[in-house]
Amino acid sequence: MSELTQERLAAVLGTRPFQYHASLGSSNDIAQGWLREGAEAGAVVIADEQRTGRGRLGRTWYTPPDEALALSLIVRPEPRGLSRISILAALAVAEMCEEIGIDSVRIKWPNDVQIHGRKICGVLPEAVWEGDRLLGVVLGIGVNVRVQFHDAELASRATNLEAAAGRTLDRADLIARLLGRIDVWLPQLMSLDLLNAWRSRLGMLGQMVEVERVRGIAESVDENGALLMRLPDGSLHRALAGDLWLLDDGH
Ligand code: BT5
């Protein structure tokens, strides 16, 4: 499958500066270097394969050749918008899926995108500082387009877009759609509209969850995207970040 080529990307990305790598370690690392060298907001690093793709907290992200989207977009938000960047990314991926007719997509707080409870996308925003000055953010997004999982454990928790869509998808077209949705939301980063669009796609509100060893009902989210959990003693707990586990999903 060779639908992701320099020429194809140049055609769909128009004037946007981009780097395309058939294979690299992590697109976030390349984008960080580019950002420090002064790359403009909107510039994007795209990889076909990542050899050492990164998840959060030192975890790995699997990006085999020909099967995925792996990109890192350079954004320059004001510092108070930092906590909204990953919300924006998850929302944009969900909307990209909806645009191509996949309507069963939900966001698992804070920023995994899932189809029927299985992960199709991960988001890794990394702020780049020079002293106390925010140079910008590298927004890493990985999407499983037709990724085949050979690891049984991963296979049970992940899926891909083509399986959900039931047809072959064009990765260059998906990138253009995804960046298009991000471009729509970036100027509205601090808006209530962004928060509401994200909130309306969250998959686990009203359910019993566990975040960082705290268990409670996922009641709501606040304006920073923090999860508000109702604890058994009736108090409200605010989770800012962390991994969420669903406790009453019937499994
Ligand atoms: C994430 O981490 O979900 C963030 C992933 C960000 C990847 C993008 S790709 C472009 C850019 N360049 C990079 O190097 N990274 C970014 P986390 O929530 O920690 O999830 C990682 C966990 O998801 C792993 O420990 C696995 O269990 C699982 N996983 C790994 N690869 C996966 C895949 N392709 N699909 C679904 N789950 C996966």
Side-chain angles (χ1 to χ4, degrees):
M1 201 83 53
S2 61
E3 86 280 18
L4 207 59
T5 60
Q6 179 81 25
E7 295 69 31
R8 209 44 236 305
L9 287 169
V12 298
L13 294 180
T15 56
R16 182 189 298 272
F18 76 96
Q19 291 183 25
Y20 171 65
H21 298 260
S23 180
L24 47 60
S26 159
S27 58
N28 267 26
D29 292 342
I30 302 291
Q32 281 190 27
W34 202 15
L35 194 161
R36 287 187 188 284
E37 288 163 14
E40 65 187 73
V44 63
V45 175
I46 298 168
D48 182 39
E49 174 195 34
Q50 294 190 111
R51 295 184 302 273
T52 52
R54 289 192 275 115
R56 296 174 297 152
L57 307 168
R59 293 186 284 233
T60 59
W61 184 257
Y62 179 53
T63 316
D66 296 333
E67 298 182 354
L69 302 185
L71 58 87
S72 299
L73 179 69
I74 290 170
V75 289
R76 296 189 188 273
E78 44 180 322
R80 73 188 179 109
L82 276 181
S83 66
R84 291 276 183 106
I85 290 290
S86 58
I87 290 176
L88 175 149
L91 171 62
V93 171
E95 290 180 327
M96 174 196 78
C97 295
E98 291 162 7
E99 272 188 22
I100 60 167
I102 301 173
D103 51 15
S104 48
V105 50
R106 306 301 289 165
I107 297 170
K108 182 186 151 201
W109 183 89
N111 51 33
D112 284 357
V113 184
Q114 299 187 329
I115 295 175
H116 298 306
R118 291 177 168 202
K119 186 161 170 169
I120 56 124
C121 164
V123 173
L124 183 66
E126 293 180 316
V128 179
W129 300 85
E130 195 173 65
D132 56 6
R133 193 166 73 92
L134 179 67
L135 288 183
V137 176
V138 163
L139 175 55
I141 303 176
V143 180
N144 302 322
V145 177
R146 61 184 77 93
V147 175
Q148 298 297 319
F149 297 95
H150 304 290
D151 176 276
E153 214 267 313
L154 206 51
S156 68
R157 289 189 290 112
T159 188
N160 67 61
L161 287 186
E162 289 192 350
R167 63 178 196 279
T168 303
L169 299 170
D170 178 320
R171 286 183 294 160
D173 172 66
L174 292 174
I175 289 172
R177 288 178 186 277
L178 175 57
L179 294 175
R181 292 315 302 165
I182 293 175
D183 285 349
V184 165
W185 286 115
L186 266 178
Q188 310 176 62
L189 188 59
M190 299 313 292
S191 72
L192 198 57
D193 282 354
L194 172 83
L195 200 68
N196 285 338
W198 171 72
R199 191 183 352 227
S200 71
R201 291 170 175 81
L202 283 175
M204 71 311 139
L205 294 183
Q207 292 184 273
M208 182 64 102
V209 301
E210 179 175 322
V211 180
E212 305 290 301
R213 302 216 182 102
V214 177
R215 290 182 173 200
I217 305 280
E219 197 164 277
S220 173
V221 284
D222 72 10
E223 70 284 356
N224 293 313
L227 183 67
L228 302 175
M229 296 163 63
R230 186 67 63 182
L231 305 192
D233 68 3
S235 63
L236 207 56
H237 172 78
R238 188 167 176 268
L240 259 178
D243 290 318
L244 177 146
W245 304 93
L246 263 186
L247 297 179
D248 62 353
D249 63 352
H251 297 298

